[in-house]
Amino acid sequence: MFFQEPELQYEVTVEQPDPHFAKLLQQAIGGQEGEMRVAMQYMFQAWALPEEYEEYRTLLMETAAEELGHIEMLATAVTKNLRGSSAEMDDDARETAAAAASMTGQNPRQFLSAGQSAMPVDSNGVPFTGGYIAASGNLAGDLYANVMAEATGRTLATRLWEYTDDPGMKDMLSYLIARDTMHQNQWLQALETLDDPVPVPASFPQDQENQDFNYTFVSTRRETQPNPEYPWTQGETPDGNGQFSYAAEQSGDGNVVAPDPDPMTNNDPNRVAQSARSADSTDAEANSPSESADAADSSE
Amino acid sequence: MFFQEPELQYEVTVEQPDPHFAKLLQQAIGGQEGEMRVAMQYMFQAWALPEEYEEYRTLLMETAAEELGHIEMLATAVTKNLRGSSAEMDDDARETAAAAASMTGQNPRQFLSAGQSAMPVDSNGVPFTGGYIAASGNLAGDLYANVMAEATGRTLATRLWEYTDDPGMKDMLSYLIARDTMHQNQWLQALETLDDPVPVPASFPQDQENQDFNYTFVSTRRETQPNPEYPWTQGETPDGNGQFSYAAEQSGDGNVVAPDPDPMTNNDPNRVAQSARSADSTDAEANSPSESADAADSSE
Amino acid sequence: MFFQEPELQYEVTVEQPDPHFAKLLQQAIGGQEGEMRVAMQYMFQAWALPEEYEEYRTLLMETAAEELGHIEMLATAVTKNLRGSSAEMDDDARETAAAAASMTGQNPRQFLSAGQSAMPVDSNGVPFTGGYIAASGNLAGDLYANVMAEATGRTLATRLWEYTDDPGMKDMLSYLIARDTMHQNQWLQALETLDDPVPVPASFPQDQENQDFNYTFVSTRRETQPNPEYPWTQGETPDGNGQFSYAAEQSGDGNVVAPDPDPMTNNDPNRVAQSARSADSTDAEANSPSESADAADSSE
Amino acid sequence: MFFQEPELQYEVTVEQPDPHFAKLLQQAIGGQEGEMRVAMQYMFQAWALPEEYEEYRTLLMETAAEELGHIEMLATAVTKNLRGSSAEMDDDARETAAAAASMTGQNPRQFLSAGQSAMPVDSNGVPFTGGYIAASGNLAGDLYANVMAEATGRTLATRLWEYTDDPGMKDMLSYLIARDTMHQNQWLQALETLDDPVPVPASFPQDQENQDFNYTFVSTRRETQPNPEYPWTQGETPDGNGQFSYAAEQSGDGNVVAPDPDPMTNNDPNRVAQSARSADSTDAEANSPSESADAADSSE
Amino acid sequence: MFFQEPELQYEVTVEQPDPHFAKLLQQAIGGQEGEMRVAMQYMFQAWALPEEYEEYRTLLMETAAEELGHIEMLATAVTKNLRGSSAEMDDDARETAAAAASMTGQNPRQFLSAGQSAMPVDSNGVPFTGGYIAASGNLAGDLYANVMAEATGRTLATRLWEYTDDPGMKDMLSYLIARDTMHQNQWLQALETLDDPVPVPASFPQDQENQDFNYTFVSTRRETQPNPEYPWTQGETPDGNGQFSYAAEQSGDGNVVAPDPDPMTNNDPNRVAQSARSADSTDAEANSPSESADAADSSE
Amino acid sequence: MFFQEPELQYEVTVEQPDPHFAKLLQQAIGGQEGEMRVAMQYMFQAWALPEEYEEYRTLLMETAAEELGHIEMLATAVTKNLRGSSAEMDDDARETAAAAASMTGQNPRQFLSAGQSAMPVDSNGVPFTGGYIAASGNLAGDLYANVMAEATGRTLATRLWEYTDDPGMKDMLSYLIARDTMHQNQWLQALETLDDPVPVPASFPQDQENQDFNYTFVSTRRETQPNPEYPWTQGETPDGNGQFSYAAEQSGDGNVVAPDPDPMTNNDPNRVAQSARSADSTDAEANSPSESADAADSSE
């Protein structure tokens, strides 16, 4: 269960309000790389873990609670960038066309739908979706998902940092970037505590997978090429269970594949047998690209 | 540019058509863990890479082309499970209520929208979305995303394998599981060829991140707890740049955070100044939970 | 900022695991009427409130924290319904066709994507979306949104209660229904503490709205009908600012409305001026339904 | 069934075309607070009502028909703002970079996808979704949803009114704001005609809800606080069925909650029993954070 | 503007309620091929047409109004299939497990979210989206979109007709199928009244398109194949402006394509220049697949 | 199965990088009218075709492979417009506010999420969705969908062509427009090879559709109008099976339609029978608009 205190995890200040930056910050709230995603992702992963994984469950839930606080920090940053201070944007200023444009030229919904507030959407105004969340029930797979989430999250935060010159915003982002560093490291460390997770899922009996294709790089080039001798076409594999090899060509099964027709679906694109059928089929022959199509029609 | 041949990459057979399994297979086509996702993900990642990353670009594009072939195999598996062979499901059988239910009781759109064919949707019928695709422009982050995609993809394939008893389907899945093993290994190997990618993005100057919080596990427990001495609260960090430490408590900034009001948004929940204002405020006092709210109203 | 404890807000037990009920419970987690919606909705509403609304901000944030705990309770209920106890569903049983169907015949993604766990989706497997969240920046509007959210949420919970016979589930739902009762009451009470919120937004100067149509019921019946003398076609209005009246007919502006053409859009559906134009227009005259369309073409 | 006439419900004029305002207006067409939502919402609510609610059904359907006319007015306003009059924007002007930017710098799809026309999307270009529509089958809940929809809809309209200086647009919005005033009042009035709707659903036997928690405000503060004596922590409740009380702390169930493992899901993150198992577990002990995780592995 | 009457366009009866069919009918309401799509599509198309296309505008708007009535008929069919008559499903029956399953085993949200009513979703419960709607501003393109919408709509209706045995439902579908026949014909007829619409958009000056590729079928087979002499690789083209030809091979531009790097994005996957750089690069050489990657790193 | 070569199908050059145009180009990649849609649409259509339609299957798959190459060309165009050449945008320039705005003022996610690369989203940043894809299983319906897709796709490409002045971009678009011309023609030609496809689906026995309404234009005007004698209200129908006629009025079924109540849904909006019922009903009578509503309540 959850508790909350009416203070921020870390101070958020804005020296110079910037409505455009308020739009960009939304990516870190409701975007694919944002904090709503990781907060919920870590929770759902935790709730799937059985009792013997208590340490990991704790790790996930506590990090989730922290991420909730990051959403709050970013929402505060958005309102501060949108509303400004009374000194800087007085009523008169707001009524000028320029101010109006700065308010709505960005993410219009921050003004129209939310009255100059943060929203559960990304920097293009696309609503957050549960489709961003990865929680597979397999801890190793989930930890890779978390490394990836923190990697793209930290990349996003550094791009926001590159963009802004506001000292307050740079300080907040420096904090969030630091937390992403920590979280990348903690998920990598958690992966290392697992015996031997690769390939995920490790519990699947590997002798049941096709032994001819499980360590072979298959080239999809149009014409066959010699083995380029890359680290992924020769040498030992990272999971320690095989040797990379190289196939210059996809094997193929040699057959054109086509499903059977299904009479109940009205899939037939031509009109079916009628008294005037013979007349119709005369035209059809002139146009129809092959005999086989005609044959199909008449067989019904 | 792309080429295609009218044969499958690997043989797909179905001994006993199973419309319900046709529904489950959709997850591997248009689902969050499916092949449409990885095919497009690897392409978009490749298209972002500059010239000096030619080997990785090739690796990504060739794997993408292979994944397109996997969508094709799975689509074939879906139609074979839905339509059956003419011997097994003749016209009469299809017209029985039981057969009808088996056709529509699953994913109704496979029948209603697609005439017993595969669709670009997941096992619940939710359409594929570009929101599943991760392509950050940063190769290291993308490679972690790919390890994760193949990890959840292989987990999905093993669950489908556990579910089905059909020898043809088990064989196809054994092939796809093997390819996922290869792909996990190749992305991990590609990560190892990078100098020192962690934390992602590596090119951000790490001395610009907040040095007090970048290797510290912050507990979010309600009451402070002693350091549990987990591998992520002490010892060296996986990136080799720090030592894990433990903070028993979120620091907090000590302030209640509230944004400034914005007069142009009509955010004020009470009716504004009118001749009868004094009368209104009398009622308000009786109800309003605090003086501050009143003060705010009267200041307008 | 947020804290969490590794216990549930209220006990969750399942006597008889029911995979189908696990599917239905998803509606209360990631559905339009679910707990993810209200948890995030109350947070975003709180973050928009200026300092003078501190009491409401507290009310919103504390309720949000409680709702996070409800997601956790429901996720626990889902895993308990899916996985059962070791006594009831042993390995053998799971391998029978019946058990397999019960695992996958419901929401296949609970098995395929999440390994028999809760997901951020609704009872049809549709992912949660930020589009469900209402946070307008106007406290009165938001409070009505909250009454509505708790009304539809409680309705959902009572339908789940009607459906299940499991004593544990009935007890959990009885608790959640009680909380919804409280929350409906608290939002209604908060509305009553506002001076005079209707119509929302109250701060808009009402003399700026069209005075001929702001308290009139406009009938859209094809033929005019006498005033049916309903409570909304006569008598005082709930906001106390007017009298309901009745218009038997939409007034209409009397004009066909059509926009100007725009030459840069290639909107013209016919091929434009060419040497063979005169010949073409002969055919056109035979087909074209009116002179005006021709005139338009030739004027270009 | 529906009829339509080729005139607008109310006149729509634009003195000075403003492509940016055309973008903002989309929020009132296809947005969460827009007219497509209410038009369809009122219809679906009406279609669910049994015969004894004929008056409400009529009320809903007639209002729905009116809202369809509002979509039409707004679509007209969009095209007028985008295409301008022939006098103001001639062909030459359109070809300048400035004009091109004004056409595409806003919502590019209004130009690219719709040839300078209105679209079924919101002000950020996000398509309208049925997920915005609330129709619960319970009239009281639906009426609260309608009050809320008209409250956020009117708030949106007032913000558009604040933004524009165009007399034609201000006049159209003044009309739409007036209609929203009427509709808020009519839904509130309809609620008042119900006997005793709170809590929704009223038909659920209230003695079946948990009597310890149905009128208690539960604080989620980290440390217990005294009763703040707000209107929602003491006094009579708006439904007239109870007294508000205050709980300084969430009770909690005292247990860590964790689901059972499920062997068929391949959830186990470590490689399963092999001949080299003993050797592996030696490494594992060095890394694994606890004995319990090991125990779980070896039990398989 | 719109009017409505409280009767259906065509009678809707259900002899034997069938909750499963109620689920299937949703596809025709809120699905990609459904009536919500065409109703809104025809409106948005109409609103884009200038004055000279008045006949088409009328055609579109009147058909739109008819389609609104079809949504109403289908919603009625859904409630009749779900709720049954009091004779057939009394209270006792509903409380049996079987009845409960029949109510919720289908689209759970029809019960949980809508109280056994129709919803703005498809047969899988996926909400209707504005993304289904095509309204391009170009009348010819729109008319093809309408032929296609009625073609897939009629196909859907015939599949529903094949599925059901209920005489009332078959009669309603026979009516809707007839209307789809009419609508396909009217859109095709409207296309024929246009002078010369192909290729769409006709107003684009065709001499500006690349003259080497506008009537050539380009084979994407891996190995070049002789001209198969299909109707689309030889002979006159349907637009009457060219002759089909055949290219056995994609030409290709002969270059590997790679974008320039961008220093502000933190795209570089390796850690950037540091004092320990020389040491790092030693390791890198051992792993990195090529010199070019190293060169890129050191150039920064 | 698929193959790819590391060169583009056609050369892509950009003389003057234009970040705003990079945003517009996204519509042709991940938009409703874009190349991701047609590439996947043609594949799914092909995979549904039985063996006798081999020529059409080949036609669809080869065109799909070509469209994959178009996505690649457009992605290349996006990165070239975003990143520019090193000569034009050096590091200093990028750091100016103007450059920063040009990078993020457009589609922020191209910078924030993708590091100045193409994305699987449209020009407003809305992710690609499988909901755009039409593949009905009926070849004739699918071919109309393809004509429509190429019609709206070509319209989009011509609007992009109108917008840009860059010679490289105009050349690329001239190529894509030419391909769209070819593809419109090939789909129309393929339709002509079918015997008699209209109305779609042709295989449905047309004597089963309601014969009174299948060739009648039904006016939805409020007051009856005389037959306007348009080509779609008189004369032969395009399918050659009937004569257009005109109905001045929707017939209607003469009944108000309302579903039965369902006791298990808690749909009743009033509190149910209690000891204090008589007292309640007194109030109710004063407010309730009709006797019938009361009657319904008391009957429970």
Side-chain angles (χ1 to χ4, degrees), chain D residues 2-5 49-50 52 55 57 104 107-109 111-113 115 137-138 193-196 198 202-203 241, chain F residues 20 27 32-33 122-124 159 163 220-222 250 257 259 266-271 284 287 289-290 292 296:
Chain D
F2 294 83
F3 301 85
Q4 67 79 235
E5 286 298 305
L49 286 180
E52 61 261 42
E55 294 82 355
R57 190 180 176 93
T104 62
N107 177 336
R109 290 195 67 202
F111 170 59
L112 295 176
S113 299
N138 181 294
T193 63
L194 298 175
D195 285 343
D196 206 357
V198 181
S203 52
N241 298 346
Chain F
H20 182 62
Q27 191 65 29
Q32 193 197 32
E33 308 87 359
D122 76 7
S123 60
N124 284 321
R159 288 169 182 161
Y163 177 81
T220 55
R221 291 293 295 277
R222 192 186 179 197
Q250 299 178 78
V257 182
N266 282 314
N267 279 358
D268 198 302
N270 285 309
R271 201 169 305 158
N287 282 317
S290 80
S292 63

Side-chain angles (χ1 to χ4, degrees), chain C residues 20 23-25 27 32-33 122-126 132 152 155-156 159-160 162-163 165 219-223 225 249-253 256-262 265-272 274 277 280-281 283-285 287-297 300, chain E residues 1-6 23 46-57 95 97 100-101 104-116 119 121 124-127 136-141 189 192-199 201-206 239-241:
Chain C
H20 183 63
K23 175 181 182 170
L24 303 195
L25 285 168
Q27 192 64 30
Q32 193 197 31
E33 308 87 358
D122 76 7
S123 61
N124 283 319
V126 176
Y132 296 150
T152 51
T155 301
L156 167 63
R159 288 170 182 161
L160 290 167
E162 300 279 0
Y163 177 81
D165 287 328
S219 174
T220 56
R221 290 294 294 277
R222 192 184 178 198
E223 321 226 2
Q225 309 287 329
E249 191 170 27
Q250 299 177 78
S251 48
D253 73 341
V256 176
V257 182
D260 290 320
D262 185 312
T265 53
N266 282 314
N267 278 359
D268 198 303
N270 285 309
R271 201 169 306 156
V272 287
Q274 290 163 326
R277 187 72 186 178
D280 281 346
S281 62
D283 297 32
E285 261 167 65
N287 282 318
S288 185
S290 80
E291 292 302 309
S292 64
D294 281 345
D297 294 339
E300 283 161 1
Chain E
M1 68 187 159
F2 294 82
F3 301 84
Q4 68 79 235
E5 286 298 305
K23 175 181 181 172
W47 293 327
L49 286 180
E51 209 155 15
E52 62 260 44
Y53 298 103
E54 189 197 325
E55 293 82 356
Y56 301 97
R57 190 181 176 92
E95 281 168 24
T104 63
Q106 315 303 338
N107 176 337
R109 291 195 64 204
Q110 288 181 329
F111 170 59
L112 296 176
S113 299
Q116 302 294 48
M119 299 190 72
V121 304
N124 284 320
V126 176
S136 69
N138 181 293
L139 179 58
Q189 185 75 355
E192 286 176 22
T193 63
L194 299 175
D195 287 342
D196 207 356
V198 180
S203 52
F204 181 77
Q206 210 170 344
D239 66 5
N241 297 347

Side-chain angles (χ1 to χ4, degrees), chain A residues 265-266, chain B residues 112-113, chain E residues 32-33 37-38 41-42 67 143-159 177 179-185 187-188, chain F residues 134 136-146 191 197-202 204:
Chain A
T265 53
N266 282 314
Chain B
L112 295 175
S113 299
Chain E
Q32 193 197 30
E33 308 87 359
R37 178 224 201 142
V38 284
Q41 178 162 304
Y42 301 158
E67 304 290 11
L143 290 171
Y144 276 117
N146 298 355
V147 174
M148 172 274 209
E150 298 286 350
T152 51
R154 191 170 179 272
T155 302
L156 168 63
T158 64
R159 288 170 182 160
I177 291 167
R179 298 312 295 151
D180 289 341
T181 299
M182 171 60 193
H183 292 159
Q184 281 185 47
N185 275 282
W187 304 130
L188 286 167
Chain F
S136 69
N138 181 294
L139 179 58
D142 285 356
L143 289 171
Y144 277 117
N146 298 355
L191 272 167
V198 180
V200 179
F204 181 77

Side-chain angles (χ1 to χ4, degrees), chain A residues 201-214:
Chain A
S203 53
F204 181 77
Q206 210 170 344
D207 54 5
Q208 293 290 344
E209 72 188 18
N210 185 312
Q211 303 296 313
D212 297 331
F213 291 99
N214 52 358

Side-chain angles (χ1 to χ4, degrees), chain C residues 198-199 206 209 211-218 227-248, chain D residues 59 63 147 178-193, chain F residues 287:
Chain C
V198 181
Q206 209 171 344
E209 71 186 21
Q211 303 296 311
D212 296 332
F213 291 98
N214 51 358
Y215 294 107
T216 302
F217 183 86
V218 178
N227 187 336
E229 306 193 347
Y230 288 149
W232 42 81
T233 63
Q234 60 184 8
E236 201 192 0
T237 58
D239 66 5
N241 297 347
Q243 293 286 321
F244 283 120
S245 63
Y246 176 79
Chain D
L59 173 62
T63 311
V147 173
R179 297 312 294 152
D180 290 340
T181 298
M182 171 60 193
H183 293 159
Q184 280 185 45
N185 276 282
Q186 79 184 30
W187 303 130
L188 286 167
Q189 185 75 355
L191 271 167
E192 286 177 22
T193 63
Chain F
N287 282 317

Side-chain angles (χ1 to χ4, degrees), chain F:
Chain F
M1 70 187 158
F2 294 83
F3 302 85
Q4 68 78 235
E5 286 298 304
E7 55 181 313
L8 294 180
Q9 194 182 70
Y10 187 85
E11 194 181 30
V12 173
T13 59
V14 173
E15 284 205 8
Q16 187 63 42
D18 176 356
H20 182 62
F21 197 59
K23 175 181 181 172
L24 302 195
L25 285 168
Q26 286 287 158
Q27 191 65 29
I29 295 176
Q32 193 197 32
E33 308 87 359
E35 305 282 1
M36 289 179 73
R37 179 223 201 142
V38 283
M40 302 309 297
Q41 179 163 305
Y42 300 159
M43 284 185 209
F44 278 96
Q45 290 177 357
W47 293 327
L49 287 180
E51 209 155 15
E52 60 261 44
Y53 299 102
E54 189 197 325
E55 293 82 357
Y56 302 96
R57 190 181 176 93
T58 300
L59 174 62
L60 287 161
M61 281 307 288
E62 300 210 21
T63 310
E66 182 184 347
E67 305 288 13
L68 289 172
H70 294 179
I71 309 175
E72 191 177 34
M73 287 170 60
L74 288 157
T76 302
V78 165
T79 49
K80 291 200 174 189
N81 273 290
L82 285 172
R83 301 191 192 179
S85 66
S86 47
E88 286 160 327
M89 288 197 200
D90 60 19
D91 283 9
D92 293 338
R94 285 170 194 278
E95 282 168 24
T96 67
S102 80
M103 271 187 292
T104 62
Q106 315 302 336
N107 177 335
R109 290 195 65 203
Q110 288 181 327
F111 170 59
L112 295 176
S113 299
Q116 303 292 52
S117 310
M119 300 190 72
V121 304
D122 76 7
S123 60
N124 284 321
V126 176
F128 174 78
T129 164
Y132 296 151
I133 294 173
S136 69
N138 181 294
L139 179 58
D142 285 356
L143 289 171
Y144 277 117
N146 298 355
V147 174
M148 172 274 206
E150 298 285 349
T152 51
R154 190 170 179 271
T155 302
L156 167 62
T158 64
R159 288 169 182 161
L160 290 167
W161 187 93
E162 301 277 0
Y163 177 81
T164 188
D165 287 326
D166 188 276
M169 285 294 92
K170 268 200 164 355
D171 185 56
M172 178 190 78
L173 289 164
S174 167
Y175 172 79
L176 292 174
I177 292 167
R179 297 312 295 152
D180 289 342
T181 299
M182 171 61 194
H183 293 159
Q184 280 185 47
N185 275 282
Q186 78 184 30
W187 304 130
L188 286 167
Q189 185 75 355
L191 272 167
E192 287 176 22
T193 64
L194 299 174
D195 286 342
D196 206 358
V198 180
V200 179
S203 52
F204 181 77
Q206 210 171 345
D207 55 4
Q208 293 289 343
E209 71 188 21
N210 186 312
Q211 303 296 312
D212 297 332
F213 291 99
N214 50 359
Y215 296 105
T216 302
F217 184 86
V218 179
S219 174
T220 55
R221 291 293 295 277
R222 192 186 179 197
E223 320 228 0
T224 61
Q225 310 286 328
N227 186 336
E229 304 194 350
Y230 287 149
W232 42 82
T233 64
Q234 60 184 9
E236 202 192 0
T237 58
D239 66 6
N241 298 345
Q243 294 286 321
F244 284 121
S245 63
Y246 177 79
E249 191 170 27
Q250 299 178 78
S251 47
D253 73 340
N255 295 307
V256 176
V257 182
D260 290 321
D262 186 312
M264 196 170 158
T265 53
N266 282 314
N267 279 358
D268 198 302
N270 285 309
R271 201 169 305 158
V272 287
Q274 292 165 324
S275 54
R277 186 73 185 178
S278 52
D280 282 345
S281 62
T282 313
D283 298 313
E285 259 167 67
N287 282 317
S288 184
S290 80
E291 292 301 311
S292 63
D294 281 345
D297 294 339
S298 56
S299 70
E300 284 160 1

